Amino acid sequence: MVPHLITALNGPINELEQRLLDATPVIERWFRLEWMEHTPPLYCAVDIRNAGFKLAPVDTNLYPDGWHNLSPDTLPLAVQAAQAAIEKICPEAHNLLIVPESGKLSSFYLASLARLAEIFTMAGLNVRLGSIDPLLKRATPMTLADGQKLTLEPAQRQRFRLGLKHFDPCTILLNNDLPDGAPGILEDLHEQYLLPPLQAGWTVRRKSRHFQCYEDVSKRFGKLIGIDPWLINPLFATCGQIDIHEAYGGDCLRTHVDALLTKIRRKYKEYGIAEKPFVVVKADHGPRGMGIMTVRDVKDLADIGAKAPKAGAAPVPTGEVIIQEGVLTGERIHDAVAEPVVYMIDRYVVGGFYRIHAERGADNSLNAPGARFVPLPFAGNAHLPRPGAKGEARAPNRFYMYGVIARLAMVAASYELEATDPELLDTA
């Protein structure tokens, strides 16, 4: 199920949210059946936007950081979920190797790494950090801002196994999205579980593939509970390789932006929505927040590539791009625009936080410099939704809906990983 957490949007439950609450038994059964057939990623984080009339994921991260931003009172849930995941994967496990990002690690990332290691340590494992950064030659202790200490050690490859000196793990937890490709040190491991698998890295992964899987999931789910899938699904299009500096380089982008805006306008008219639609253009692969451009009218692209962008304007993504329906956010914390980020381990929601940005609008990406993070704490002692609650007492149930959307994205991620699994492709 989903923890009962406090959310910023305390207005009345809208029609979409009420439909999800009323269908809780059907929804939970559907998820149970999905997990009987498909394996969830070990962990992931999902960015969600709640426009009131629409509730949808806008990004799914399969190598989440930010674990230290979760409220400490949600830690027991994370530990229990980690125990459940390890019991399924390798019941006899006692050693876990976490492979972090390479290069210079920020204090933010180190704090996240410390919390992630703490979760799996409390789950009953010996946890150590093994870096695959070729520049790391020896064990390197690091002191965090709060005084905690971490030690990064160079990972060692012994024939078909990866570990450390005098440390042979059953399971290797990747917290590195491999933007430069999968290094040989991680390939062809025998009798070790590498999670997430290599095809989850950005060499193989594409956001468009994920959202195609999510679209398929949302259609089935919408039919299950009797809603229009558009209410939980951001429309999207892809544009292959583009280079705005070449002749006609922006034609594909303009065509797809125009078509997608037209589709969104039709939906807004159907539901009587007065807001102006917009789309977000971003790289089809690579970490979230990279190369994002918001477009409200195809005319904004008329001079794309013909002149230098205005000072302060977002750079136009090149290469493979995805054009995604923009989803407004109706949430605020201290007058700053906010969006929930939901964290999961195995098939369980374990908490989340709000990403807030005082200098951004409801139609902007909040994953930008200047963003702050506010943990979602428990609402009193209740950990479960209360479908029969009245009035304002129903508002905390809103996080249940966020958990449903996040888990739908996780189901889509499981489909996505199956579709790119080299072992399954070889037998197809």
Side-chain angles (χ1 to χ4, degrees), residues 165-281:
K165 187 176 181 179
H166 307 308
F167 187 80
D168 185 31
C170 162
T171 303
I172 299 163
L173 176 59
L174 270 179
N175 198 237
N176 182 329
D177 56 13
L178 307 175
D180 299 319
I185 195 172
L186 295 177
E187 295 179 332
D188 300 319
L189 298 175
H190 289 190
E191 298 181 353
Q192 281 183 310
Y193 295 94
L194 180 66
L195 302 168
L198 289 179
Q199 74 265 24
W202 286 119
T203 304
V204 175
R205 192 175 188 228
R206 294 294 180 269
K207 296 169 188 174
S208 56
R209 184 183 292 115
H210 173 77
F211 280 100
Q212 182 59 64
C213 292
Y214 183 83
E215 182 176 291
D216 295 341
V217 169
S218 66
K219 287 178 179 177
R220 292 176 49 230
F221 185 81
K223 185 177 181 180
L224 176 78
I225 66 171
I227 64 169
D228 180 352
W230 177 76
L231 298 173
I232 57 172
N233 175 45
L235 302 176
F236 77 96
T238 57
C239 205
Q241 294 282 342
I242 68 166
D243 185 346
I244 63 167
H245 302 296
E246 297 291 335
Y248 310 108
D251 286 355
C252 175
L253 184 59
R254 283 188 287 268
T255 299
H256 283 83
V257 165
D258 188 36
L260 193 57
L261 283 171
T262 299
K263 289 180 182 178
I264 301 169
R265 290 189 192 102
R266 289 186 189 129
K267 280 295 183 182
Y268 276 28
K269 184 177 181 180
E270 178 184 345
Y271 286 94
I273 299 164
E275 303 289 345
K276 185 173 183 178
F278 65 100
V279 298
V280 176
V281 182

Side-chain angles (χ1 to χ4, degrees), residues 3 51 57 71 85 107 122 131 137 146 159 170 182 190 209 227 230 278 311 342 347 354 371 419:
S71 176
S107 57
M122 295 178 70
S131 175
K137 303 297 185 182
D146 62 358
R159 291 180 61 80
C170 162
H190 289 190
R209 184 183 292 115
I227 64 169
W230 177 76
F278 65 100
V342 177
R347 59 194 178 106
Y354 272 106

Side-chain angles (χ1 to χ4, degrees), residues 26-38 220 224 347 411 415:
V26 174
I27 290 171
E28 294 306 319
R29 177 180 181 273
W30 185 85
F31 277 120
R32 288 193 298 270
L33 294 176
E34 284 297 308
W35 299 134
M36 289 175 65
E37 299 292 333
H38 305 282
R220 292 176 49 230
L224 176 78
R347 59 194 178 106
V411 172
Y415 290 7

Side-chain angles (χ1 to χ4, degrees), residues 8 48-50 278 327-340 353-367 370-374:
I48 295 173
R49 306 275 286 209
N50 189 349
F278 65 100
V327 182
L328 296 166
T329 177
E331 310 212 38
R332 300 289 186 278
I333 294 180
H334 304 307
D335 296 325
V337 176
E339 64 184 8
F353 57 77
Y354 272 106
R355 180 185 291 115
I356 67 173
H357 206 302
E359 299 177 3
R360 294 271 170 149
D363 59 352
N364 294 137
S365 169
L366 306 188
N367 192 15
R372 295 188 296 114
F373 307 92
V374 177

Side-chain angles (χ1 to χ4, degrees), residues 49-240:
R49 306 275 286 209
N50 189 349
F53 59 86
K54 183 173 184 125
L55 179 64
V58 294
D59 191 84
T60 301
N61 185 0
L62 298 184
Y63 299 90
D65 54 15
W67 291 95
H68 61 300
N69 289 321
L70 272 60
S71 176
D73 62 2
T74 64
L75 189 60
L77 288 178
V79 172
Q80 290 173 355
Q83 288 174 327
I86 293 299
E87 285 172 7
K88 286 195 306 183
I89 297 162
C90 185
E92 68 275 16
H94 58 278
N95 291 338
L96 175 75
L97 184 70
I98 298 179
V99 176
E101 294 177 359
S102 299
K104 186 176 181 179
L105 305 181
S106 68
S107 57
F108 175 97
Y109 182 71
L110 288 172
S112 171
L113 205 57
R115 175 58 63 85
L116 187 60
E118 179 184 12
I119 289 170
F120 282 92
T121 298
M122 295 178 70
L125 297 168
N126 298 316
V127 179
R128 289 168 71 173
L129 306 178
S131 175
I132 57 174
D133 187 341
L135 298 179
L136 188 76
K137 303 297 185 182
R138 61 181 63 86
T140 304
M142 296 185 175
T143 302
L144 279 62
D146 62 358
Q148 289 188 78
K149 296 184 183 298
L150 287 178
T151 299
L152 289 184
E153 302 175 68
Q156 299 178 358
R157 181 68 181 254
Q158 299 291 338
R159 291 180 61 80
F160 297 111
R161 295 182 72 83
L162 183 72
L164 306 173
K165 187 176 181 179
H166 307 308
F167 187 80
D168 185 31
C170 162
T171 303
I172 299 163
L173 176 59
L174 270 179
N175 198 237
N176 182 329
D177 56 13
L178 307 175
D180 299 319
I185 195 172
L186 295 177
E187 295 179 332
D188 300 319
L189 298 175
H190 289 190
E191 298 181 353
Q192 281 183 310
Y193 295 94
L194 180 66
L195 302 168
L198 289 179
Q199 74 265 24
W202 286 119
T203 304
V204 175
R205 192 175 188 228
R206 294 294 180 269
K207 296 169 188 174
S208 56
R209 184 183 292 115
H210 173 77
F211 280 100
Q212 182 59 64
C213 292
Y214 183 83
E215 182 176 291
D216 295 341
V217 169
S218 66
K219 287 178 179 177
R220 292 176 49 230
F221 185 81
K223 185 177 181 180
L224 176 78
I225 66 171
I227 64 169
D228 180 352
W230 177 76
L231 298 173
I232 57 172
N233 175 45
L235 302 176
F236 77 96
T238 57
C239 205

